[in-house]
């Protein structure tokens, strides 16, 4: 059963995947609990945190608009 923030997070995850597919950009989601050795390579405190390459683009609570801006930045780099 999902509620509140978990449900919103899941919906945002599917939104992210749909945008990434449309923009043809690579998205890697790192679970800090499952792969702490990878997560430690990045400088962040709050989740979610979005990186474009190795640059932190946004950290903390998020909205669809923030995700859209991060993906637009990523698509410009990958173009």
């Amino acid at each position: 059963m999902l509620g509140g923030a978990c449900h919103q997070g899941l919906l945002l995850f599917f939104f992210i995947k749909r945008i990434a597919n449309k923009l043809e950009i690579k998205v890697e989601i790192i679970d800090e609990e499952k792969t702490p050795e990878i997560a430690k390579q990045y400088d962040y405190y709050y989740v979610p945190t979005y990186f474009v390459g190795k640059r932190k683009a946004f950290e903390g609570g998020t909205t669809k608009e923030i995700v859209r801006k991060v993906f637009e930045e990523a698509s410009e780099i990958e173009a």
Side-chain angles (χ1 to χ4, degrees):
M1 182 171 164
L2 296 173
C6 289
H7 181 71
Q8 290 175 349
L10 188 60
L11 291 175
L12 190 55
F13 171 77
F14 288 116
F15 176 74
I16 289 168
K17 288 192 65 92
R18 191 170 69 235
I19 290 177
N21 288 337
K22 286 182 181 179
L23 297 175
E24 297 180 2
I25 59 175
K26 179 184 173 199
V27 173
E28 182 178 4
I29 298 174
I30 300 168
D31 184 325
E32 63 185 358
E33 292 180 3
K34 291 182 181 177
T35 56
E37 67 283 353
I38 296 173
K40 288 178 184 175
Q41 297 174 22
Y42 295 89
D43 178 29
Y44 72 99
Y45 184 78
Y46 296 105
V47 292
T49 301
Y50 299 95
F51 288 87
V52 176
K54 291 287 185 180
R55 188 187 73 73
K56 187 186 312 180
F58 187 83
E59 179 175 16
T62 191
T63 64
K64 285 184 178 182
E65 186 58 33
I66 290 168
V67 172
R68 185 175 287 117
K69 288 178 182 179
V70 170
F71 277 58
E72 286 173 1
E73 180 182 339
S75 68
E76 290 170 7
I77 290 172
E78 291 197 16

